[in-house]
């Protein structure tokens, strides 16, 4: 297959984990005779330094011409003083909206064998968890009006939480459809006791739920959900929530599965180009040290092959190579528990070799 994958390495550990994913994608190209047309473009803070904007026109155009996009991470303390509209993080938000993407999908599995890495109490972790978080990304407080203004007490800043009925219907439909391929349970998470946008969210989800009588729907407030994920994560199947609450819960899921470095994700729209990437951030504290875990980026590349290119065999080869490499005992620092560990590039090389030899 000949196709075009745009790589947005971004900032911090982004370039290191994307280089790791590239090594693995190169192994897939050689083994299965593909040309993925891997092409790297500036994005986030490095693009800001280079061109004055976090999402340059050329980067956006390259993404639009691609079959799929693989992103590293954006942001870092050196851009803390940049105005919100031009921050590195805006690159990702603008790219999602320019590509018409509205749903973030975050699968998180806690394997009982990896329970020691989990932040959960041992007896809870032992029961395992298999959760898919579905996150609305086109509306909500990330995308409402924001700015500065003069208030009664002087200057103030504001962000607006906005949800349209149609945006909630569309994401709810997706969550219910996905639940049908799983355990048929949806937990919709909001703050409907306080927020107007959450009230509309809850009423809309209830209406959509009527079309899926075979799927169980429960509503939870964000605080309650955060607690239940710690006490009975095994009772969750699909979590449906907004952009901001989703951001928080994904981080909690990372701690629950014990592997913030290992979780992949994708952001999709209807028939549009999708963006794939690990859930971790740019981790400035370990950037440039070859110490990151590339597995989240590598599993995201596998998701990309399966979902955007239909290459299921190739994706399965990557998943298997990751498992083989972990079974051999190779660990990056974050999952080594004080034992011996390898560098980011070494981990990626080993996975690439295992893909090639599988
Ligand atoms: C993520 C990131 C982004 C988000 C930021 C960088 C805009 O944290 O993908 O979770 O919150 O959506
Ligand atoms: Mn996040």
């Amino acid at each position: 297959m000949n196709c075009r994958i745009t790589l947005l390495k971004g900032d911090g550990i982004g370039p290191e984990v994307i280089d790791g994913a590239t090594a693995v994608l190169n192994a897939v190209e050689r083994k299965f005779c593909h040309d993925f047309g891997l092409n790297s473009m500036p994005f986030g803070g490095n693009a800001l330094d280079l061109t004055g904007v976090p999402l340059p026109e050329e980067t956006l155009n390259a993404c639009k011409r691609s079959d799929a996009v693989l992103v590293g991470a954006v942001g870092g303390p050196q851009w803390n003083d940049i105005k919100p509209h031009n921050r590195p993080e805006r690159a990702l938000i603008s790219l999602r909206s320019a590509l018409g993407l509205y749903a973030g999908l975050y699968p998180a599995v806690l394997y009982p064998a990896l329970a020691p890495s989990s932040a959960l109490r041992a007896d809870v972790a032992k029961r395992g968890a298999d959760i898919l978080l579905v996150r609305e990304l086109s509306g909500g407080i990330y995308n409402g009006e924001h700015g500065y203004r003069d208030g009664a007490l002087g200057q103030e800043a504001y962000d607006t939480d906005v949800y349209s009925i149609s945006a909630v219907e569309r994401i709810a439909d997706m969550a219910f459809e996905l639940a049908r391929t799983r355990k048929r349970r949806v937990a919709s998470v909001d703050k409907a006791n306080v927020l107007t946008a959450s009230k509309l969210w809850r009423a809309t989800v209830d209406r959509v739920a009527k079309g899926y009588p075979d799927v169980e729907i429960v509503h939870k407030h964000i605080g309650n959900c955060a607690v239940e994920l710690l006490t009975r994560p095994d009772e969750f199947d699909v979590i449906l929530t907004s952009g901001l609450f989703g951001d928080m819960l994904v981080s909690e899921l990372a701690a629950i599965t014990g592997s913030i470095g290992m979780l992949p994700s994708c952001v999709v729209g209807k028939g549009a180009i999708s963006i794939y990437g690990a859930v971790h951030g740019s981790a400035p504290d370990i950037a440039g040290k070859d110490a990151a875990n590339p597995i989240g980026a590598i599993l995201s590349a596998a998701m990309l092959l399966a979902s955007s290119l239909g290459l299921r065999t190739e994706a399965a080869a990557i998943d298997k190579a990751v498992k083989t490499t972990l079974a051999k005992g190779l660990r990056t620092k974050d999952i080594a528990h004080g034992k011996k560990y390898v560098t980011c590039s070494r981990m990626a090389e080993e996975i690439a070799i295992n893909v090639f030899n599988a």
Side-chain angles (χ1 to χ4, degrees):
M1 166 185 284
N2 272 317
C3 64
R4 209 192 291 248
I5 299 176
T6 297
L7 303 174
L8 304 176
K9 298 182 178 183
D11 312 315
I13 59 169
E16 295 159 67
V17 300
I18 294 299
D19 286 348
T22 301
V24 173
L25 286 170
N26 287 337
V28 173
E29 286 178 312
R30 274 184 282 129
K31 185 176 166 81
F32 296 91
C33 297
H34 296 305
D35 180 354
F36 294 143
L38 300 176
N39 174 35
S40 197
M41 296 298 287
F43 185 69
N46 64 85
L48 184 65
D49 291 347
L50 211 68
T51 70
V53 287
L55 177 61
E57 205 58 38
E58 305 80 67
T59 297
L60 176 58
N61 288 335
C63 292
K64 284 183 174 164
R65 285 195 306 269
S66 313
D67 297 286
V69 176
L70 184 63
V71 63
V74 288
Q78 62 269 54
W79 299 291
N80 272 354
D81 295 333
I82 302 285
K83 286 262 159 53
H85 73 278
N86 225 20
R87 286 181 64 89
E89 289 79 0
R90 274 287 140 195
L92 205 47
I93 296 171
S94 306
L95 180 63
R96 288 168 182 161
S97 106
L99 295 179
L101 310 182
Y102 62 87
L105 304 179
Y106 303 84
V109 180
L110 166 56
Y111 298 102
L114 289 183
S117 313
S118 170
L120 295 178
R121 215 175 54 212
D123 60 308
V124 182
K126 219 172 54 200
R127 298 204 296 268
D130 182 352
I131 298 170
L132 174 68
L133 188 137
V134 178
R135 178 183 178 207
E136 210 296 326
L137 285 168
S138 74
I141 200 160
Y142 279 32
N143 297 287
E145 194 190 317
H146 16 237
Y148 296 92
R149 64 188 169 203
D150 288 326
L153 301 174
Q155 201 191 37
E156 58 187 27
Y158 63 97
D159 301 279
T160 328
D161 191 20
V162 186
Y163 265 114
S164 67
I165 291 175
S166 60
V168 182
E169 282 172 349
R170 160 172 94 166
I171 195 79
D173 271 318
M174 186 180 283
F176 284 109
E177 292 292 347
L178 287 165
R180 279 185 166 160
T181 69
R182 301 171 49 98
K183 292 188 216 126
R184 294 175 188 259
R185 286 205 302 266
V186 173
S188 175
V189 178
D190 60 36
K191 187 71 184 166
N193 53 342
V194 178
L195 303 176
T196 317
S198 277
K199 280 200 181 75
L200 178 137
W201 174 283
R202 192 178 279 219
T204 307
V205 170
D206 265 337
R207 236 178 7 259
V208 173
K210 292 204 169 70
Y212 301 85
D214 52 319
V215 179
E216 177 199 289
I217 172 75
V218 292
H219 297 277
K220 293 181 195 295
H221 291 142
I222 174 71
N224 185 30
C225 178
V227 170
E228 286 185 0
L229 280 174
L230 298 179
T231 51
R232 31 200 169 107
D234 53 325
E235 290 176 17
F236 285 83
D237 180 22
V238 172
I239 294 177
L240 164 63
T241 194
S242 64
L244 180 61
F245 296 155
D247 190 52
M248 299 166 182
L249 293 179
V250 166
S251 297
E252 187 176 352
L253 287 175
I256 285 173
T257 57
S259 49
I260 183 148
M262 294 182 41
L263 296 187
S265 73
C266 67
V267 180
V268 303
K270 276 246 149 47
I273 300 157
S274 302
I275 305 177
Y276 298 80
V279 309
H280 61 68
S282 61
D285 51 324
I286 58 164
K289 296 185 178 156
D290 202 10
N293 186 342
I295 294 180
I298 290 169
L299 292 176
S300 299
M303 253 178 131
L304 183 159
L305 297 187
S307 306
S308 283
L309 305 178
L311 300 176
R312 295 192 184 281
T313 309
E314 290 80 345
I318 297 179
D319 287 338
K320 191 168 158 229
V322 169
K323 290 203 179 91
T324 307
T325 309
L326 290 172
K328 280 187 185 162
L330 241 71
R331 297 284 184 272
T332 42
K333 192 173 181 187
D334 57 314
I335 49 172
H337 306 296
K339 301 219 179 74
K340 234 181 100 200
Y341 56 85
V342 299
T343 60
C344 175
S345 49
R346 173 83 184 84
M347 174 63 98
E349 270 161 36
E350 187 67 24
I351 294 170
I353 291 168
N354 285 326
V355 164
F356 200 77
N357 294 337

